[in-house]
Amino acid sequence: MTADPACATLIDGKAFAAGLVERVAAASARLESTHGVKPGLAVIIVGDDPASQVYVRNKGETTQRAGMRSDTHRLSAGTSQADLLALIAALNADGGIHGILVQLPLPGHIDAATVLDAIDPDKDVDGFHVVNAGRLAVGLPGLVPCTPLGCLMLLKAELGDLSGLNAVIVGRSNIVGKPMAQLLLAESCTVTVAHSRTRDLPALCRTADILVAAVGRPEMVRGDWIKPGATVIDVGINRVPSRDPVKAAEGKTRLVGDVAFTEATGVAGRITPVPGGVGPMTIACLLANTYSAACRSVGVMPERLDA
């Protein structure tokens, strides 16, 4: 593959996500009309973290636009772990709720692993439960973490068949890196997971037909790390000071990814921008997971939503 300078195709995650939400809404309406099941998502937020409040509000609004039931449980920062677990138990038993999401981070006195483990795996629409991680690892149907699922949808929409391609994932988190590797292995890619101990990371990245950056370091992946014509998926969302010195002095920031975008566009064949790339896909895939969970709750095969 080759690429002309400064001509990388931008992968419009915002547009793809909007289409996915429309498909989820249509499929959910058909599920309700034929089986009497309206997909329901419950989101729990503990405390007043400003970023979390924005995410939760966006999730609720998008869920409602998709014609789904949307329940938001806002708990004070002082809520005990026992009370949070009791709420999760009640939602596990609620037949009208098919997806449960606990917004992270949680206050320090609450153990996130214990809380996530308490969610019914069949309602774990974040895909973080160890049961769903195991299902993904061995190729069984389950709920897949939303961000890597969104990345895979974008890759397949852009490239079609991924079999035989070399994929390098920079980052080994349980939320993105590891499940992304499993998804790409299932597509018959040759997958390498890179991390902080990887030797000669730039050289390794240059072997990738698909390069997924999910390390959480602003613009770490430089243009000369990228194989000409490669497809670059930038998962990073990092706030850095504004380029304008006056605005920077006022504390104003801008969003950048884990990839040096301007450099990368001169080398890559396709690339996701930040913002507007992977980010919108996460909420859309959350709704897709909720729809799938609702289908499985009544023994119905979910419709395909990826195209």
Side-chain angles (χ1 to χ4, degrees), residues 12-26 62 65-66 153-154 276-285 287 305:
D12 191 344
K14 186 176 181 180
F16 191 100
L20 178 56
V21 171
E22 289 179 1
R23 294 192 293 275
V24 170
T62 309
R65 283 204 306 273
M153 286 186 177
L154 292 177
V278 173
M281 291 296 295
T282 299
I283 293 179
C285 288
L287 300 189
L305 299 169

Side-chain angles (χ1 to χ4, degrees), residues 67-292:
M68 295 179 168
R69 173 181 169 183
S70 175
D71 290 4
T72 301
H73 299 265
R74 300 181 185 277
L75 308 180
S76 70
T79 298
S80 70
Q81 180 167 301
D83 285 345
L84 176 55
L85 293 174
L87 174 57
I88 291 171
L91 294 171
N92 283 340
D94 186 341
I97 292 296
H98 306 97
I100 302 170
L101 181 149
V102 177
Q103 183 67 41
L104 301 177
L106 291 166
H109 66 281
I110 296 177
D111 180 62
T114 299
V115 168
L116 296 177
D117 189 56
I119 298 172
D120 182 342
D122 291 333
K123 296 188 178 188
D124 166 41
V125 286
D126 255 340
F128 295 161
H129 197 286
V130 66
V131 169
N132 283 318
R135 288 171 177 167
L136 178 61
V138 299
L140 292 176
L143 294 166
V144 178
C146 301
T147 298
L149 178 59
C151 293
L152 181 66
M153 286 186 177
L154 292 177
L155 284 167
K156 293 178 74 172
E158 290 291 321
L159 301 176
D161 182 12
L162 305 181
S163 62
L165 296 179
N166 289 331
V168 173
I169 302 163
V170 185
R172 52 179 169 177
S173 72
N174 292 333
I175 295 173
V176 180
K178 290 177 184 176
M180 189 79 250
Q182 297 291 349
L183 288 170
L184 289 172
L185 282 172
E187 296 295 327
S188 298
C189 292
T190 300
V191 180
T192 304
V193 178
H195 45 77
S196 60
R197 301 289 181 88
T198 298
R199 296 180 180 177
D200 200 352
L201 180 58
L204 177 62
C205 289
R206 283 191 287 270
T207 69
D209 302 307
I210 296 169
L211 179 61
V212 180
V215 70
R217 293 179 58 185
E219 301 180 323
M220 186 187 84
V221 177
R222 313 308 301 186
D224 62 2
W225 294 22
I226 297 169
K227 178 181 179 180
T231 298
V232 179
I233 303 294
D234 190 349
V235 182
I237 301 178
N238 309 287
R239 288 199 172 274
V240 299
S242 171
R243 288 193 180 96
D244 185 319
V246 175
K247 292 182 178 179
E250 295 172 349
K252 300 292 177 61
T253 61
R254 59 190 174 95
L255 287 177
V256 300
D258 291 349
V259 177
F261 181 77
T262 301
E263 296 177 14
T265 55
V267 184
R270 299 172 177 85
I271 188 170
T272 56
V274 177
V278 173
M281 291 296 295
T282 299
I283 293 179
C285 288
L286 174 66
L287 300 189
N289 275 350
T290 303
Y291 160 73
S292 296

